Tab-separated table of all heavy atoms in Angstrom:
chain	number	residue	atom	x	y	z
A	24	ILE	N	1.778	6.304	8.220
A	24	ILE	CA	2.349	5.750	7.129
A	24	ILE	C	4.043	5.653	7.444
A	24	ILE	O	4.498	4.461	7.103
A	24	ILE	CB	2.249	6.605	5.855
A	24	ILE	CG1	0.739	6.630	5.424
A	24	ILE	CG2	3.098	6.028	4.661
A	24	ILE	CD1	0.195	5.305	5.165
A	25	LEU	N	4.558	6.599	7.905
A	25	LEU	CA	6.087	6.570	8.174
A	25	LEU	C	6.331	5.435	9.271
A	25	LEU	O	7.257	4.699	9.092
A	25	LEU	CB	6.570	7.841	8.615
A	25	LEU	CG	6.843	8.846	7.656
A	25	LEU	CD1	7.162	10.188	8.209
A	25	LEU	CD2	8.000	8.460	6.715
A	26	HIS	N	5.577	5.354	10.282
A	26	HIS	CA	5.751	4.372	11.370
A	26	HIS	C	5.603	3.008	10.776
A	26	HIS	O	6.346	2.118	11.003
A	26	HIS	CB	4.808	4.618	12.441
A	26	HIS	CG	5.121	3.815	13.739
A	26	HIS	ND1	4.677	2.470	13.922
A	26	HIS	CD2	5.967	4.022	14.794
A	26	HIS	CE1	5.149	2.068	15.023
A	26	HIS	NE2	5.924	2.905	15.576
A	27	CYS	N	4.533	2.701	9.915
A	27	CYS	CA	4.437	1.510	9.294
A	27	CYS	C	5.590	1.094	8.328
A	27	CYS	O	6.000	0.046	8.227
A	27	CYS	CB	2.986	1.361	8.610
A	27	CYS	SG	1.609	1.410	9.668
A	28	TRP	N	5.973	2.117	7.701
A	28	TRP	CA	6.994	1.954	6.605
A	28	TRP	C	8.364	1.473	7.336
A	28	TRP	O	9.117	0.589	6.817
A	28	TRP	CB	7.284	3.209	5.920
A	28	TRP	CG	7.757	3.004	4.470
A	28	TRP	CD1	8.352	1.966	3.976
A	28	TRP	CD2	7.632	3.994	3.433
A	28	TRP	NE1	8.688	2.125	2.632
A	28	TRP	CE2	8.201	3.259	2.180
A	28	TRP	CE3	7.165	5.241	3.263
A	28	TRP	CZ2	8.172	3.988	0.911
A	28	TRP	CZ3	7.163	5.850	2.026
A	28	TRP	CH2	7.731	5.235	0.864
A	29	TYR	N	8.631	1.917	8.603
A	29	TYR	CA	9.847	1.521	9.236
A	29	TYR	C	9.678	0.446	10.221
A	29	TYR	O	10.631	-0.286	10.533
A	29	TYR	CB	10.289	2.868	10.079
A	29	TYR	CG	11.172	3.687	9.078
A	29	TYR	CD1	10.562	4.683	8.297
A	29	TYR	CD2	12.526	3.584	9.021
A	29	TYR	CE1	11.304	5.459	7.500
A	29	TYR	CE2	13.309	4.512	8.262
A	29	TYR	CZ	12.638	5.422	7.512
A	29	TYR	OH	13.438	6.329	6.677
A	30	PHE	N	8.443	0.225	10.756
A	30	PHE	CA	8.349	-0.849	11.736
A	30	PHE	C	7.148	-1.887	11.390
A	30	PHE	O	6.734	-2.597	12.214
A	30	PHE	CB	7.896	-0.237	13.076
A	30	PHE	CG	9.034	0.634	13.680
A	30	PHE	CD1	9.064	2.060	13.532
A	30	PHE	CD2	10.189	0.119	14.256
A	30	PHE	CE1	10.072	2.729	14.004
A	30	PHE	CE2	11.211	0.866	14.592
A	30	PHE	CZ	11.227	2.224	14.562
A	31	ASP	N	6.661	-1.830	10.040
A	31	ASP	CA	5.649	-2.813	9.560
A	31	ASP	C	4.258	-2.398	10.164
A	31	ASP	O	4.128	-1.777	11.170
A	31	ASP	CB	5.983	-4.174	10.022
A	31	ASP	CG	7.326	-4.677	9.294
A	31	ASP	OD1	7.768	-3.983	8.418
A	31	ASP	OD2	7.771	-5.794	9.715
A	32	SER	N	3.319	-2.841	9.324
A	32	SER	CA	1.885	-2.580	9.714
A	32	SER	C	1.527	-3.510	10.921
A	32	SER	O	2.095	-4.529	11.185
A	32	SER	CB	0.999	-3.104	8.575
A	32	SER	OG	1.219	-2.339	7.359
A	33	PRO	N	0.555	-3.015	11.801
A	33	PRO	CA	0.084	-3.863	12.830
A	33	PRO	C	-0.439	-5.246	12.350
A	33	PRO	O	-0.878	-5.226	11.123
A	33	PRO	CB	-1.030	-2.995	13.433
A	33	PRO	CG	-0.776	-1.556	12.997
A	33	PRO	CD	-0.140	-1.701	11.641
A	34	PRO	N	-0.282	-6.292	13.005
A	34	PRO	CA	-0.723	-7.607	12.566
A	34	PRO	C	-2.194	-7.597	12.190
A	34	PRO	O	-3.099	-7.106	12.808
A	34	PRO	CB	-0.621	-8.447	13.937
A	34	PRO	CG	0.487	-7.774	14.622
A	34	PRO	CD	0.216	-6.211	14.469
A	35	GLY	N	-2.371	-8.082	10.961
A	35	GLY	CA	-3.675	-8.264	10.386
A	35	GLY	C	-4.386	-6.988	9.881
A	35	GLY	O	-5.533	-7.115	9.281
A	36	GLU	N	-3.759	-5.801	9.963
A	36	GLU	CA	-4.391	-4.529	9.705
A	36	GLU	C	-3.875	-4.118	8.245
A	36	GLU	O	-2.722	-4.125	7.875
A	36	GLU	CB	-4.094	-3.470	10.675
A	36	GLU	CG	-4.927	-2.211	10.443
A	36	GLU	CD	-4.598	-1.215	11.414
A	36	GLU	OE1	-4.345	-1.580	12.597
A	36	GLU	OE2	-4.822	0.074	11.193
A	37	ILE	N	-4.832	-3.687	7.318
A	37	ILE	CA	-4.463	-3.008	6.091
A	37	ILE	C	-4.813	-1.614	6.148
A	37	ILE	O	-5.590	-1.211	6.948
A	37	ILE	CB	-5.303	-3.758	4.967
A	37	ILE	CG1	-6.838	-3.575	5.171
A	37	ILE	CG2	-4.904	-5.171	4.778
A	37	ILE	CD1	-7.606	-4.031	4.083
A	38	ILE	N	-4.076	-0.849	5.273
A	38	ILE	CA	-4.197	0.508	5.233
A	38	ILE	C	-4.349	0.887	3.616
A	38	ILE	O	-3.826	0.184	2.966
A	38	ILE	CB	-3.044	1.367	6.005
A	38	ILE	CG1	-1.706	0.934	5.318
A	38	ILE	CG2	-3.111	1.094	7.420
A	38	ILE	CD1	-0.580	1.865	5.884
A	39	SER	N	-4.852	2.005	3.443
A	39	SER	CA	-4.969	2.528	2.111
A	39	SER	C	-3.734	3.399	1.726
A	39	SER	O	-3.257	4.095	2.609
A	39	SER	CB	-6.212	3.292	1.839
A	39	SER	OG	-7.436	2.492	2.202
A	40	LEU	N	-3.293	3.234	0.457
A	40	LEU	CA	-2.012	3.973	0.137
A	40	LEU	C	-2.044	4.125	-1.349
A	40	LEU	O	-2.328	3.151	-2.178
A	40	LEU	CB	-0.773	3.286	0.561
A	40	LEU	CG	0.644	4.017	0.555
A	40	LEU	CD1	0.540	5.068	1.498
A	40	LEU	CD2	1.840	3.075	0.779
A	41	GLY	N	-1.667	5.335	-1.809
A	41	GLY	CA	-1.481	5.653	-3.204
A	41	GLY	C	-0.118	5.142	-3.687
A	41	GLY	O	0.923	5.784	-3.421
A	42	VAL	N	-0.224	4.164	-4.517
A	42	VAL	CA	1.165	3.607	-5.000
A	42	VAL	C	1.053	3.261	-6.443
A	42	VAL	O	-0.028	3.329	-7.104
A	42	VAL	CB	1.452	2.209	-4.207
A	42	VAL	CG1	1.629	2.509	-2.693
A	42	VAL	CG2	0.368	1.111	-4.488
A	43	ILE	N	2.167	2.965	-6.995
A	43	ILE	CA	2.297	2.530	-8.438
A	43	ILE	C	1.587	1.219	-8.694
A	43	ILE	O	1.915	0.178	-8.073
A	43	ILE	CB	3.701	2.601	-8.997
A	43	ILE	CG1	3.862	2.361	-10.454
A	43	ILE	CG2	4.649	1.628	-8.297
A	43	ILE	CD1	4.075	3.515	-11.205
A	44	SER	N	0.618	1.200	-9.579
A	44	SER	CA	-0.077	-0.079	-9.819
A	44	SER	C	0.755	-1.081	-10.666
A	44	SER	O	1.523	-0.681	-11.435
A	44	SER	CB	-1.290	0.335	-10.793
A	44	SER	OG	-2.042	-0.922	-11.115
A	45	GLN	N	0.617	-2.293	-10.150
A	45	GLN	CA	1.161	-3.381	-10.771
A	45	GLN	C	0.327	-4.281	-11.580
A	45	GLN	O	0.657	-5.525	-11.721
A	45	GLN	CB	1.980	-4.184	-9.676
A	45	GLN	CG	3.029	-3.291	-8.937
A	45	GLN	CD	3.616	-3.933	-7.713
A	45	GLN	OE1	3.337	-4.958	-7.320
A	45	GLN	NE2	4.608	-3.178	-7.006
A	46	GLY	N	-0.783	-3.832	-11.789
A	46	GLY	CA	-1.927	-4.571	-12.548
A	46	GLY	C	-2.918	-5.315	-11.691
A	46	GLY	O	-3.821	-6.027	-12.267
A	47	ASP	N	-2.825	-5.271	-10.340
A	47	ASP	CA	-3.741	-5.958	-9.474
A	47	ASP	C	-5.093	-5.310	-9.578
A	47	ASP	O	-5.180	-4.064	-9.901
A	47	ASP	CB	-3.206	-5.870	-8.002
A	47	ASP	CG	-1.814	-6.426	-7.778
A	47	ASP	OD1	-1.833	-7.724	-7.945
A	47	ASP	OD2	-0.815	-5.841	-7.638
A	48	PHE	N	-6.166	-6.032	-9.321
A	48	PHE	CA	-7.449	-5.685	-9.353
A	48	PHE	C	-7.879	-5.112	-10.680
A	48	PHE	O	-8.738	-4.208	-10.852
A	48	PHE	CB	-7.757	-4.521	-8.279
A	48	PHE	CG	-7.350	-4.940	-6.911
A	48	PHE	CD1	-6.228	-4.382	-6.376
A	48	PHE	CD2	-7.970	-5.998	-6.257
A	48	PHE	CE1	-5.840	-4.730	-5.097
A	48	PHE	CE2	-7.618	-6.425	-4.958
A	48	PHE	CZ	-6.543	-5.749	-4.378
A	49	ASP	N	-7.239	-5.463	-11.813
A	49	ASP	CA	-7.396	-4.934	-13.241
A	49	ASP	C	-7.102	-3.362	-13.260
A	49	ASP	O	-7.600	-2.840	-14.201
A	49	ASP	CB	-8.809	-5.215	-13.677
A	49	ASP	CG	-9.064	-6.676	-13.789
A	49	ASP	OD1	-8.009	-7.546	-13.961
A	49	ASP	OD2	-10.209	-7.270	-13.585
A	50	ILE	N	-6.404	-2.831	-12.491
A	50	ILE	CA	-6.021	-1.426	-12.502
A	50	ILE	C	-4.744	-1.410	-13.504
A	50	ILE	O	-3.762	-2.106	-13.308
A	50	ILE	CB	-5.654	-0.900	-11.200
A	50	ILE	CG1	-6.819	-0.944	-10.159
A	50	ILE	CG2	-5.140	0.560	-11.309
A	50	ILE	CD1	-6.476	-0.713	-8.702
A	51	PRO	N	-4.756	-0.505	-14.523
A	51	PRO	CA	-3.632	-0.479	-15.387
A	51	PRO	C	-2.286	-0.212	-14.781
A	51	PRO	O	-2.201	0.585	-13.870
A	51	PRO	CB	-4.064	0.724	-16.394
A	51	PRO	CG	-5.501	0.775	-16.265
A	51	PRO	CD	-5.849	0.436	-14.965
A	52	SER	N	-1.281	-1.048	-15.047
A	52	SER	CA	-0.021	-0.858	-14.574
A	52	SER	C	0.594	0.532	-14.877
A	52	SER	O	0.373	1.048	-15.978
A	52	SER	CB	0.945	-1.837	-15.118
A	52	SER	OG	0.581	-3.203	-14.813
A	53	GLY	N	1.210	1.012	-13.936
A	53	GLY	CA	1.966	2.331	-14.167
A	53	GLY	C	1.104	3.474	-13.593
A	53	GLY	O	1.746	4.692	-13.373
A	54	LEU	N	-0.199	3.349	-13.316
A	54	LEU	CA	-0.898	4.461	-12.763
A	54	LEU	C	-0.686	4.538	-11.115
A	54	LEU	O	-0.382	3.435	-10.495
A	54	LEU	CB	-2.418	4.188	-12.924
A	54	LEU	CG	-2.940	4.363	-14.382
A	54	LEU	CD1	-4.433	4.153	-14.440
A	54	LEU	CD2	-2.723	5.835	-14.962
A	55	ILE	N	-0.762	5.736	-10.547
A	55	ILE	CA	-0.651	5.851	-9.146
A	55	ILE	C	-2.122	5.642	-8.717
A	55	ILE	O	-2.960	6.314	-9.141
A	55	ILE	CB	-0.127	7.221	-8.690
A	55	ILE	CG1	1.305	7.375	-9.243
A	55	ILE	CG2	-0.117	7.324	-7.150
A	55	ILE	CD1	2.305	6.478	-8.736
A	56	PHE	N	-2.331	4.772	-7.827
A	56	PHE	CA	-3.712	4.403	-7.509
A	56	PHE	C	-3.859	4.041	-6.002
A	56	PHE	O	-2.876	3.328	-5.454
A	56	PHE	CB	-4.216	3.203	-8.316
A	56	PHE	CG	-5.671	3.150	-8.603
A	56	PHE	CD1	-6.319	3.645	-9.709
A	56	PHE	CD2	-6.591	2.522	-7.636
A	56	PHE	CE1	-7.529	3.565	-10.132
A	56	PHE	CE2	-7.870	2.476	-7.963
A	56	PHE	CZ	-8.382	3.027	-8.994
A	57	SER	N	-4.775	4.441	-5.272
A	57	SER	CA	-4.883	4.075	-3.852
A	57	SER	C	-5.467	2.726	-3.749
A	57	SER	O	-6.577	2.437	-4.290
A	57	SER	CB	-5.857	5.222	-3.174
A	57	SER	OG	-6.000	4.846	-1.805
A	58	VAL	N	-4.764	1.877	-3.141
A	58	VAL	CA	-5.253	0.501	-2.944
A	58	VAL	C	-4.895	-0.021	-1.500
A	58	VAL	O	-4.155	0.741	-0.675
A	58	VAL	CB	-4.481	-0.472	-3.979
A	58	VAL	CG1	-4.913	-0.118	-5.302
A	58	VAL	CG2	-2.913	-0.321	-3.762
A	59	PRO	N	-5.465	-1.142	-1.165
A	59	PRO	CA	-5.050	-1.705	0.281
A	59	PRO	C	-3.825	-2.304	0.254
A	59	PRO	O	-3.331	-3.003	-0.593
A	59	PRO	CB	-6.255	-2.668	0.439
A	59	PRO	CG	-6.593	-3.218	-0.741
A	59	PRO	CD	-6.545	-1.957	-1.727
A	60	VAL	N	-2.979	-1.914	1.206
A	60	VAL	CA	-1.593	-2.493	1.327
A	60	VAL	C	-1.225	-2.820	2.768
A	60	VAL	O	-2.031	-2.388	3.693
A	60	VAL	CB	-0.518	-1.396	0.870
A	60	VAL	CG1	-0.820	-0.894	-0.527
A	60	VAL	CG2	-0.302	-0.240	1.848
A	61	ARG	N	-0.144	-3.607	2.988
A	61	ARG	CA	0.485	-3.810	4.292
A	61	ARG	C	2.012	-3.523	4.027
A	61	ARG	O	2.469	-3.807	3.039
A	61	ARG	CB	0.243	-5.208	4.724
A	61	ARG	CG	-1.050	-5.461	5.310
A	61	ARG	CD	-1.241	-6.884	5.839
A	61	ARG	NE	-0.117	-7.319	6.789
A	61	ARG	CZ	0.076	-6.974	7.984
A	61	ARG	NH1	-0.905	-6.208	8.527
A	61	ARG	NH2	1.114	-7.408	8.654
């Protein structure tokens, strides 16, 4: 996670991360939820 945070994700690869929801995938905003990110 730290390496990706500082040097970006490998091309085309997604990883799972628990982040603050922004309403995507009908997940209520404000919840910490594990979702696919880059």
Side-chain angles (χ1 to χ4, degrees):
I24 296 300
L25 279 173
H26 191 271
C27 290
W28 211 337
Y29 277 83
F30 296 101
D31 296 348
S32 297
E36 185 176 338
I37 59 174
I38 58 176
S39 305
L40 192 68
V42 299
I43 186 101
S44 172
Q45 300 170 359
D47 300 290
F48 308 111
D49 294 334
I50 300 167
S52 297
L54 291 180
I55 302 295
F56 210 93
S57 180
V58 295
V60 307
R61 280 182 51 78

